[in-house]
Amino acid sequence: MISIKSEREIELLEKAGHVVYLTHCYLKPYIKPGITTKELDKLAYDFIKSQGCTPSFLNYDGFPNSICTSINQEVVHGIPSNRKLKNGDIISIDIGACYKGYHGDSAWTYSVGKISSRNEYLMEHTRKSLFIGLEEVKPGNHIGDIGAAISEYALSHNLGVVKELVGHGVGQNVHEEPDVPNYGTRGSGPILKEGMVIAIEPMLTLGSPDICILDDDWTIETEDYSNSAHYEHTVVVTKDGYKILTGGENG
Ligand code: MG
Ligand code: MG
């Protein structure tokens, strides 16, 4: 069952989403060569708590930290560690926050120092693919319209689309129905209705989209070691389109 959120629920989801956005803004200036991903995690934890929220991912299925930090060929679910960021890295940071029982979820890929033009290309077009997918969000459209738009855009830019990981509904659980794949057929899948809240999150790669999981049982990376980017917003379906709950002036 895909739930339709009440006005009050949407207010709470909006507050949670706004804290996720503010956490991204807060972390951004710290994302520099030399900082460890554990330090970023601690900054995020303290900030999320200071906003009256709890980190959605901490202890989620046993995940040990507050944010996911996935560097270069890592796609998602990277565990914060003592690894230091290096000039030229790209890092995807996935943040979830819970306010009075309701969640927000948003990922963004950041450059560390000066990055290659290939990495710039990957980041630019993965971010654009998210907004191409968002354009499909309106009552009456299908979930498959979103994925079709994202994958058409990605493939036309020679980027791989990770298929095993998908977007999702968001509410009192950070992952709810429906699945929101980054591929699909127009006119297929559940129909979007006003009041549904979903996270759309394309994960694109410079090479093959095939992935594998590391021995830590969390980190997912590309099999061919090509770099990957990840952009995600939580949005509510409105009367005539959508509203981003996890965005602001910086995206
Ligand atoms: Mg998500
Ligand atoms: Mg996320």
Side-chain angles (χ1 to χ4, degrees), residues 94 105 168 175 199 201 232:
D94 200 345
D105 186 9
H168 47 90
H175 295 125
E201 49 179 315
E232 173 185 32

Short mmCIF file of all heavy atoms in Angstrom, two decimals, residues 94 105 168 175 199 201 232, ligand 1:
data_model
loop_
_atom_site.label_atom_id
_atom_site.label_comp_id
_atom_site.label_asym_id
_atom_site.label_seq_id
_atom_site.Cartn_x
_atom_site.Cartn_y
_atom_site.Cartn_z
N ASP A 94 25.07 10.61 1.82
CA ASP A 94 23.63 10.34 1.92
C ASP A 94 23.23 10.62 3.36
O ASP A 94 23.84 10.08 4.30
CB ASP A 94 23.37 8.88 1.54
CG ASP A 94 21.93 8.63 1.15
OD1 ASP A 94 21.07 9.48 1.43
OD2 ASP A 94 21.67 7.56 0.56
N ASP A 105 15.26 12.30 3.32
CA ASP A 105 16.36 11.49 2.78
C ASP A 105 16.89 12.20 1.54
O ASP A 105 16.14 12.46 0.61
CB ASP A 105 15.78 10.10 2.41
CG ASP A 105 16.82 9.10 1.96
OD1 ASP A 105 18.03 9.37 2.08
OD2 ASP A 105 16.40 8.01 1.49
N HIS A 168 12.41 5.28 -3.40
CA HIS A 168 11.42 4.65 -2.51
C HIS A 168 10.45 5.68 -1.95
O HIS A 168 10.72 6.88 -1.98
CB HIS A 168 12.18 3.99 -1.34
CG HIS A 168 13.20 4.92 -0.74
ND1 HIS A 168 12.89 5.77 0.29
CD2 HIS A 168 14.49 5.19 -1.06
CE1 HIS A 168 13.97 6.48 0.60
NE2 HIS A 168 14.96 6.18 -0.22
N HIS A 175 12.30 4.01 4.33
CA HIS A 175 12.07 3.28 3.08
C HIS A 175 10.68 2.65 3.11
O HIS A 175 10.41 1.76 3.91
CB HIS A 175 13.12 2.17 2.90
CG HIS A 175 14.50 2.71 2.73
ND1 HIS A 175 15.56 2.34 3.53
CD2 HIS A 175 15.00 3.61 1.85
CE1 HIS A 175 16.65 2.99 3.15
NE2 HIS A 175 16.33 3.77 2.13
N ALA A 199 11.27 9.37 -2.61
CA ALA A 199 12.66 9.79 -2.82
C ALA A 199 13.10 9.25 -4.18
O ALA A 199 12.93 8.06 -4.47
CB ALA A 199 13.56 9.23 -1.72
N GLU A 201 16.40 8.87 -6.63
CA GLU A 201 17.84 8.87 -6.38
C GLU A 201 18.66 8.15 -7.44
O GLU A 201 19.09 7.02 -7.22
CB GLU A 201 18.14 8.33 -4.98
CG GLU A 201 17.48 7.02 -4.60
CD GLU A 201 17.89 6.60 -3.19
OE1 GLU A 201 19.09 6.68 -2.85
OE2 GLU A 201 17.01 6.19 -2.41
N GLU A 232 19.96 12.69 -4.71
CA GLU A 232 18.63 12.25 -4.23
C GLU A 232 17.89 13.39 -3.56
O GLU A 232 18.46 14.14 -2.77
CB GLU A 232 18.82 11.12 -3.19
CG GLU A 232 17.54 10.69 -2.49
CD GLU A 232 17.78 9.67 -1.39
OE1 GLU A 232 18.85 9.72 -0.76
OE2 GLU A 232 16.89 8.84 -1.17
MG MG B 1 16.92 6.98 -0.32
#
